[in-house]
Amino acid sequence: MEAVIQYLLTGLSVGSVYAMMGLGFYVMWSAAKAVNFTYGDIFMLGAVLTVVLMDIGIGLLPAALLAILASAAGAAAIERGFVRPFNREANAIGWMLTTIAVGTMLESSTTALFGSNPRMLPSPLAQEPIRLGGAGIYPQELLLPAALVVVTAALELFYRRTLLGRAMRAVAYNRTAAGLVGIDADRITLIAFALAGVLGALAGVLIGPVVQASSTMGAIIGLKGFMVAIIAGIANARGVVIAGLLYGVTEKFIEGYLSTAARDAIGFTLMVLLLLLFPQGLFGKKEFSKV
Amino acid sequence: MTALLSVEGVRVSYGRIEAVRGVDLAVAPGEFVGVIGSNGAGKSSLMRAIAGVLKPAAGRVSFDGAEVTRLKSHQMVAKGLAMVPEGRMVFADQTLRDNLLLGGFSRMRTDRAGVMRDLERVLVLFPRLRERLDQEAGTLSGGEQQMLAIARGLISKPRLLVIDELSLGLAPLILDMLFPVLSSLNREGLSILLVEQMASYALAVTDRTYVMENGRVLFEGRSADLARDPRVLDAYLGRRRAA
Amino acid sequence: MSPRAGPRIAVALMVAALALFPWTGDVLDTRWPTSYELRLVIRAMILAIVVIGLNILVGFAGLVSLGQAALMGLGGHVAALLALRADFPFAAAMVFAVALPAMMGAVLAFPTVRVRPLYLTVITIAFGFVFVNVLREWVGFTGGASGLASIPRPTILGEPLMAVRRTGFNLYYLIVLCLLLALWVQWALARSRYGRAMRASSQSENASRALGINIVAIRTLAFAISAGFAGLGGGLFANLALFINYETFTFSASIELLLMTILGGSGTLAGPLVGTTVLFTASQALQGLHEWQTFAYGLLLVLVLFLMPQGIVGGLAALRRRLAGRGMAERRTGAWPNFVPGFDAVASERDAAGQATLITRDLTLRFGGLTAVNRVGMEVASGTVHALIGPNGAGKSSVLNVVSGFYRATSGQVSLFGETLAGRAPHQLARAGVARSFQNTELFATMTVLENVLVGCHSRYRAGFFATILRTPRFRAEERGMLAEARMLLEVVGLTGFAEEQARNLPFGHQRRLEIARALAPRPKLLLLDEPAAGLTHGEIEELVALIRGLADRGMTVILVEHHVEMIMAVSDRVTVLDHGEVIADGPPAQVQADPRVIEAYFGRGAAQGMPAAAAHADVPA
């Protein structure tokens, strides 16, 4: 029983990270029908920059805030410089290659400058585990689901209640129509990538104290976030959150009852099977293609 | 009097396909101008070029005395030209109210009170929209969607409203309701450029009409005169011209 | 000099250079190449084999894999494990080293390419990570980080394979042979219906489906082939190094392979060789950069994508085309329709005369709340031209899309050629005898005019995949026949002079002609034309009318969606008028033209009174 609670709690914690990353992919895809393929590096930048800023004597919270803002700016720059010029035609794939290339550059230059060893991201919430129903967990890990709830609610409010959010939905729904009511669709897309950057970097900062910051921490997490978004049906935010949490919990149970080695192999196989059964994703609608 | 909108020698191509082959057209302030012609004549492409949705391959578009050929659609809205696109293009997944507020997107920051005032005004114009303010636009009927699209265009406070294919897929009953609204908006001073394939309607409400075929303006004139011109009917039912 | 001579000479020179390379030292009396350099060349050749496979995927099918290194690793580990643990002889182990990755490729591709090609890329990345993870963690089986050492030296017929003088460099020559084999497959594929179908499906999914190509199958095939080549490379690699571990097959290795493909020029036949050579040489120089090496790859990829997206070979080819194009004489456009002898064969598959080719009953199509087609009943007799007209948004194209399988009817029945059509896919209907054109011409833009028509012949080939790759005499006879028919169709539409031109460079009217020639290539029983006259000049429309009449006279059934009323009157046997998704009139052209409901639908209410009498249809030339 204790083991089950343990897996459930840590699963929800890591699942929250996948869900946040998935939401980031959702935000980018909605606005641009393209994504930053190496979005995991934005996640990594959030954690790594926080550590670097703390090195020069800035406190945890301001460092984290600055790191998130810088990562968001980076995400926006990637949209402007590498996605937009390669996303002019429908079904273009150039943006995929350019963002992968930029991701490679980001990751390797971080390795060179930051070092290849993982570094501590000290947080007062990751010092002493607390006991919950027999399971041991850092408060920092509990922070993640809480943050996910806040992020999801905030995103929902943003999309439904603010003019900018409505404009973003308008761009997602029909770029031409958005332009005709006075919305600069390009600018909105840039903002969407920056917003996704905030989500990704925030996830990185929050999980950093648990997993340590390193240049390679983002690759797999980013990939899982993308797959979670695909499995959910990439155009459904709530689906993405549910799929992310489910995937996190599933992973922890596989890890617990089988092995860490089996975790990703089984996890990805499951995802491929799901995609086989639900080509449009678990919560996706059949897309209608005009002939 | 200088024209509010003037179009000179505009060409539009899609790759190698030339949809508009050099068109001149003008709308004076306060004028109600129609463009008619059979399907595929290039009317919609011309409107899209005017509204900045696509860039003309050649030619010049001026609005209010300034060249606007290269401006994008959101900039045109800010200049005072709003287009109600073919097929309405309402934001089906958002409520009517949100659709209308988005219509005021470019004014919202500077003139929120004005947007709210105009929102009230368009609801007076189209009372049926008021009953459905919190409904998603996708649930509306075609006629209601067209009302919404017009209302959304009006909230940007345009000086010229371009309407592309008002009648598309709409029953005559709805059209009998919509056209008088346009006439009254025009009487209040709004300039309107209307593309319409139902020529009889367009000729009845507009001051002046252009007839397009094959990407060119075939002829233009006072709508009242054209309504009696046998060439107009020919353009539609494909009958060989006498000469 | 024939235009084919250039590539042939290049291939001959390459083969000669590769054959002589190990012996250069003897000829020039130097100590070069040493065994180190020999191994470098062998490794480059192995990479080239993998890159050729990737080129088939990226350059032909337009799909991207970022797990190619892992598939290579899979092949390598299969070969190594079978030799180590099961004592498989070299040749048998290599068969599995190719087959297993190929099957893995099919398994990864099938679920993903159905929705978005993009998903395949994501899945391949995931596969790469999982592969490396499993190898690292499953120490008992794969040796973990220390890998699989002391793989038994490969032998063929008892002869040990080594790249040394003593054995006559037999391993070296085996790998040269494999490289030539890979080049052959790539070349044979490019000049076959499979390669054409891959390229077609990456350029226009809709047009490909309408011509009988099963997109999911052809993409899955492309990835299976590409994965098989990766496996071959991996197997050879294991047998060369006699040691293997996961570190060679990481994500960055996949990026390097992709970079080689794009740098050389994806989709070109020589690109993989050029890209591999250039990047492999550069990577030897970049080794001193340590962790910055990966950065350099990323930077290089970005630069290539921004500055020469067609790669080295593609860029040079484009340059040469531009130089050649400058001096090119005006191409001669033939008159059309030019019903050459032999054309009758195209309409030979016709439906029995007097039969109803198409019958719809209560055909209804809804999108969400919108009813696009409402209980439409129509009957199209075989060998007739049947026009479907109506104002914008009346549902004409929707009917066409149901008949060609692109949309599935919400309710009602459709029967074609006497059979009920129940949810069959476009490519299945195409094979049953339905062909169509598109409102906005959907040509395969970067394929030649002739290739466009040949894609239309896709479903008529009988030669299977292996016969095609081996280019058996039967296949070649069939290919010659199709080529002759494709040229004949170009003659019919007057485009013979443009056969080798890229389709996107044709003037618009010619593009329409080409689309029709392509639609005729499958020898359809029913031809659906969606606004074929849009954008055509008056003269071109008259020629189009003559062509359509010619087809119907030869027994083909034609359904025509068109706005051009004059044309409809001239060409149709019967007209069905739709408005708001419903049939409002149906009958011979003259009768329909005089129908007040039709005039009102087109023109608005009150039209019939205020305007000159529309009933004066007598002056319409039939």
Side-chain angles (χ1 to χ4, degrees):
Chain A
M1 191 57 212
E2 277 153 37
V4 169
I5 293 175
Q6 179 82 49
Y7 300 151
L8 213 54
L9 286 177
T10 49
L12 285 176
S13 171
V14 68
S16 302
V17 174
Y18 301 151
M20 273 194 233
M21 296 298 283
L23 280 176
F25 278 108
Y26 160 81
V27 169
M28 291 185 280
W29 182 264
S30 305
K33 297 292 170 286
V35 298
N36 175 0
F37 224 90
T38 44
Y39 179 53
D41 291 316
I42 302 296
F43 164 90
M44 174 272 288
L45 274 186
V48 165
L49 285 180
T50 307
V51 172
V52 169
L53 289 169
M54 290 178 78
D55 276 355
I56 58 169
I58 299 176
L60 173 63
L61 286 180
L65 195 65
L66 276 176
I68 291 172
L69 289 179
S71 309
I78 287 174
E79 192 280 331
R80 181 67 194 88
F82 300 97
V83 177
R84 197 183 303 175
F86 291 90
N87 193 28
R88 300 233 190 268
E89 301 147 37
N91 301 323
I93 53 166
W95 53 266
M96 182 163 89
L97 302 175
T98 46
T99 57
I100 286 169
V102 171
T104 311
M105 287 157 72
L106 264 179
E107 194 178 316
S108 55
S109 55
T110 307
T111 309
L113 300 172
F114 181 77
S116 49
N117 294 324
R119 301 256 318 263
M120 285 295 288
L121 200 175
S123 155
L125 298 179
Q127 308 295 336
E128 207 60 51
I130 54 168
R131 310 295 303 176
L132 259 181
I137 190 163
Y138 289 116
Q140 183 79 28
E141 289 179 84
L142 293 176
L143 196 56
L144 278 156
L148 177 67
V149 171
V150 173
V151 161
T152 311
L155 204 60
E156 179 88 12
L157 276 178
F158 168 72
Y159 273 123
R160 298 209 171 267
R161 293 270 178 266
T162 68
L163 189 66
L164 186 62
R166 291 184 192 121
M168 215 171 266
R169 285 169 68 201
V171 169
Y173 186 78
N174 185 330
R175 274 185 106 80
T176 307
L180 287 172
V181 298
I183 299 168
D184 182 348
D186 282 346
R187 210 176 119 246
I188 296 287
T189 307
L190 188 83
I191 296 173
F193 272 64
L195 176 62
V198 169
L199 290 176
L202 175 67
V205 169
L206 290 176
I207 196 82
V210 184
V211 300
Q212 300 198 325
S214 72
S215 59
T216 51
M217 69 188 285
I220 297 233
I221 303 277
L223 183 66
K224 287 181 185 169
F226 202 172
M227 297 206 38
V228 157
I230 288 174
I231 292 306
I234 197 160
N236 181 326
R238 276 174 227 183
V240 169
V241 171
I242 296 170
L245 291 175
L246 278 179
Y247 190 69
V249 172
T250 312
E251 261 196 344
K252 288 297 165 190
F253 275 91
I254 298 173
E255 228 176 80
Y257 287 109
L258 291 165
S259 72
T260 314
R263 180 191 63 200
D264 289 344
I266 296 180
F268 283 133
T269 310
L270 271 178
M271 294 229 214
V272 174
L273 285 178
L274 281 176
L275 202 56
L276 190 64
L277 296 175
F278 306 94
Q280 308 294 336
L282 290 172
F283 309 96
K285 277 181 290 200
K286 179 147 176 61
E287 275 157 64
F288 191 76
S289 60
K290 189 161 163 38
V291 177
Chain B
M1 191 157 74
T2 54
L4 178 60
L5 172 79
S6 98
V7 172
E8 297 156 49
V10 162
R11 294 174 174 274
V12 179
S13 322
Y14 301 99
R16 297 212 162 222
I17 308 170
E18 205 167 39
V20 178
R21 312 171 190 221
V23 165
D24 296 334
L25 175 152
V27 179
E31 207 181 5
F32 196 160
V33 175
V35 178
I36 62 174
S38 63
N39 250 310
K43 309 183 298 283
S44 285
S45 300
L46 178 63
M47 293 309 123
R48 291 165 82 85
I50 291 172
V53 175
L54 42 84
K55 277 190 194 131
R60 205 181 126 93
V61 181
S62 317
F63 186 72
D64 201 15
E67 163 146 21
V68 294
T69 318
R70 299 275 140 200
L71 293 194
K72 291 186 178 166
S73 53
H74 66 271
Q75 295 165 311
M76 291 305 295
V77 175
K79 291 247 173 215
L81 184 151
M83 176 158 105
V84 179
E86 181 180 355
R88 272 85 76 174
M89 296 193 189
V90 297
F91 302 114
D93 60 341
Q94 304 202 42
T95 63
L96 259 70
R97 190 194 307 275
D98 288 351
N99 266 274
L100 292 171
L101 288 175
L102 281 170
F105 185 81
S106 49
R107 291 169 66 200
M108 203 56 128
R109 210 165 291 163
T110 51
D111 185 18
R112 197 182 165 84
V115 171
M116 294 307 165
R117 231 180 4 255
D118 286 343
L119 197 141
E120 192 52 40
R121 216 167 56 99
V122 297
L123 291 178
V124 171
L125 213 53
F126 299 111
R128 280 169 78 165
L129 298 182
R130 192 190 294 274
E131 301 156 22
R132 293 167 166 59
L133 265 183
D134 293 308
Q135 239 167 283
E136 282 189 1
T139 63
L140 298 184
S141 72
E144 289 163 343
Q145 287 193 10
Q146 189 62 282
M147 292 176 201
L148 176 60
I150 295 171
R152 188 180 66 180
L154 289 173
I155 289 185
S156 71
K157 211 176 175 183
R159 273 173 299 160
L160 175 65
L161 186 66
V162 178
I163 304 177
D164 195 357
E165 301 286 19
L166 183 81
S167 72
L168 186 67
L170 298 186
L173 207 65
I174 308 281
L175 296 179
D176 290 342
M177 229 165 81
L178 285 177
F179 277 104
V181 173
L182 294 185
S183 295
S184 76
L185 283 169
N186 175 247
R187 275 196 301 277
E188 287 164 24
L190 178 69
S191 313
I192 303 180
L193 178 58
L194 171 74
V195 164
E196 184 50 65
Q197 61 169 348
M198 294 278 201
S200 68
Y201 283 105
L203 292 172
V205 295
T206 55
D207 304 323
R208 207 156 53 81
T209 296
Y210 293 83
V211 180
M212 278 185 76
E213 193 180 317
N214 251 322
R216 292 195 179 85
V217 170
L218 222 54
F219 47 90
E220 61 101 8
R222 290 193 29 213
S223 303
D225 299 340
L226 290 184
R228 283 184 295 274
D229 193 323
R231 293 178 300 173
V232 173
L233 199 58
D234 288 344
Y236 282 86
L237 294 182
R239 303 187 313 170
R240 279 258 157 90
R241 273 175 285 291
Chain C
M1 197 169 81
S2 92
R4 294 267 174 76
R8 277 184 190 171
I9 292 170
V11 169
L13 283 177
M14 185 192 77
V15 171
L18 285 175
L20 291 175
F21 178 72
W23 309 99
T24 321
D26 301 64
V27 178
L28 300 177
D29 198 25
T30 60
R31 288 180 51 80
W32 190 90
T34 62
S35 65
Y36 171 73
E37 278 130 7
L38 203 61
R39 286 178 88 82
L40 280 187
V41 171
I42 294 180
R43 273 177 51 205
M45 288 194 293
I46 290 175
L47 285 178
I49 292 171
V50 180
V51 172
I52 288 170
L54 195 52
N55 186 42
I56 289 169
L57 186 73
V58 177
F60 292 10
L63 302 170
V64 175
S65 160
L66 279 166
Q68 215 64 9
L71 288 163
M72 183 181 172
L74 180 61
H77 278 81
V78 167
L81 286 168
L82 287 178
L84 268 173
R85 306 267 153 87
D87 294 322
F88 266 51
F90 170 67
M94 283 306 291
V95 169
F96 284 94
V98 174
L100 276 171
M103 274 151 59
M104 190 72 224
V107 168
L108 291 177
F110 180 72
T112 46
V113 296
R114 285 187 299 171
V115 196
R116 277 197 192 90
L118 169 68
Y119 290 180
L120 176 70
T121 312
V122 180
I123 291 289
T124 55
I125 300 178
F127 172 74
F129 276 117
V130 169
F131 178 75
V132 168
N133 255 346
V134 169
L135 291 189
R136 189 167 47 212
E137 306 289 336
W138 200 358
V139 180
F141 195 57
T142 64
S146 42
L148 296 168
S150 56
I151 299 168
R153 189 173 295 289
T155 57
I156 283 181
L157 305 173
E159 198 64 32
L161 295 173
M162 297 166 79
V164 295
R165 181 176 306 267
R166 183 159 47 79
T167 63
F169 302 103
N170 58 8
L171 182 59
Y172 171 87
Y173 286 111
L174 177 76
I175 289 170
V176 170
L177 199 69
C178 287
L179 176 63
L180 294 177
L181 189 85
L183 282 170
W184 168 275
V185 172
Q186 181 187 233
W187 173 78
L189 208 55
R191 288 163 50 95
S192 77
R193 66 159 162 158
Y194 295 101
R196 287 191 292 263
M198 285 173 196
R199 288 164 65 203
S201 68
S202 79
Q203 297 189 24
S204 168
E205 287 192 18
N206 285 338
S208 304
R209 291 154 80 198
L211 293 169
I213 294 170
N214 181 345
I215 303 247
V216 174
I218 200 78
R219 285 181 173 157
T220 304
L221 176 71
F223 196 44
I225 295 174
S226 149
F229 276 19
L232 175 64
L236 293 173
F237 179 85
N239 280 293
L240 172 74
L242 304 183
F243 165 78
I244 194 161
N245 81 346
Y246 62 83
E247 277 170 2
T248 326
F249 308 111
T250 54
F251 181 63
S252 53
S254 289
I255 292 197
E256 196 178 329
L257 290 168
L258 186 64
L259 179 52
M260 287 174 175
T261 312
I262 291 171
L263 178 67
S266 72
T268 64
L269 294 182
L273 291 182
V274 173
T276 309
T277 309
V278 171
L279 196 70
F280 189 76
T281 313
S283 73
Q284 299 305 313
L286 290 176
Q287 263 170 359
L289 291 176
H290 305 292
E291 58 265 41
W292 289 103
Q293 188 181 348
T294 321
F295 183 88
Y297 285 149
L299 186 62
L300 202 56
L301 185 52
V302 165
L303 288 176
V304 170
L305 286 166
F306 268 99
L307 301 176
M308 44 178 201
Q310 296 176 296
I312 296 172
V313 177
L316 287 177
L319 189 69
R320 202 182 53 187
R321 263 200 305 276
R322 204 173 317 148
L323 291 178
R326 208 171 285 159
M328 201 165 53
E330 270 294 278
R331 297 208 183 277
R332 200 185 60 82
T333 305
W336 77 309
N338 171 14
F339 293 117
V340 294
F343 176 71
D344 291 1
V346 173
S348 60
E349 312 271 329
R350 62 171 172 262
D351 230 14
Q355 203 188 329
T357 301
L358 170 73
I359 303 172
T360 74
R361 287 204 203 298
D362 290 333
L363 175 63
T364 300
L365 181 67
R366 287 196 199 93
F367 303 123
L370 187 91
T371 304
V373 178
N374 194 12
R375 300 174 61 97
V376 164
M378 59 186 277
E379 202 171 309
V380 179
S382 80
T384 63
V385 178
H386 195 119
L388 200 52
I389 69 170
N392 227 337
K396 309 173 300 280
S397 288
S398 295
V399 171
L400 217 64
N401 283 328
V402 170
V403 174
S404 54
F406 282 88
Y407 294 169
R408 191 167 289 194
T410 313
S411 63
Q413 287 97 49
V414 181
S415 81
L416 263 175
F417 318 124
E419 274 180 66
T420 315
L421 175 165
R424 280 203 274 174
H427 71 268
Q428 292 168 322
L429 288 170
R431 290 173 192 185
V434 181
R436 65 169 294 173
S437 73
F438 292 87
Q439 216 170 80
N440 309 307
T441 44
E442 294 225 22
L443 293 173
F444 307 122
T446 65
M447 297 173 76
T448 68
V449 168
L450 185 64
E451 283 171 331
N452 266 273
V453 182
L454 280 171
V455 173
C457 297
H458 180 83
S459 55
R460 289 176 47 216
Y461 278 87
R462 293 290 156 263
F465 180 72
F466 289 102
T468 306
I469 293 301
L470 296 173
R471 297 185 78 78
T472 59
R474 217 187 115 231
F475 161 78
R476 280 189 291 171
E478 190 176 37
E479 177 82 12
R480 268 197 304 276
M482 296 296 179
L483 209 61
E485 183 152 333
R487 288 193 184 282
M488 184 266 289
L489 283 168
L490 288 183
E491 191 72 44
V492 172
V493 297
L495 290 182
T496 303
F498 295 83
E500 303 303 327
E501 193 75 53
Q502 282 191 358
R504 61 174 170 183
N505 293 334
L506 293 185
F508 179 59
H510 287 23
Q511 294 199 358
R512 288 265 189 225
R513 292 191 196 190
L514 175 55
E515 203 184 25
I516 291 175
R518 189 182 65 183
L520 291 175
R523 296 190 173 176
K525 291 188 243 180
L526 171 63
L527 178 64
L528 309 172
L529 297 173
D530 198 354
E531 300 193 22
L536 295 189
T537 65
H538 221 75
E540 286 171 326
I541 291 174
E542 274 169 19
E543 294 161 340
L544 181 62
V545 166
L547 176 78
I548 293 174
R549 265 328 322 170
L551 291 172
D553 292 345
R554 284 166 178 77
M556 199 178 288
T557 314
V558 181
I559 298 180
L560 178 68
V561 164
E562 192 45 76
H563 294 299
H564 216 279
V565 184
E566 196 175 325
M567 172 182 173
I568 291 162
M569 297 305 147
V571 76
S572 326
D573 297 304
R574 198 175 178 85
V575 180
T576 300
V577 188
L578 292 182
D579 192 23
H580 293 103
E582 292 174 18
V583 175
I584 58 167
D586 184 277
Q591 178 193 327
V592 163
Q593 197 183 19
D595 191 322
R597 290 186 65 188
V598 176
I599 296 167
E600 188 179 314
Y602 265 90
F603 212 77
R605 275 211 292 194
Q609 301 106 50
M611 304 282 162
H617 58 266
D619 58 325
V620 177

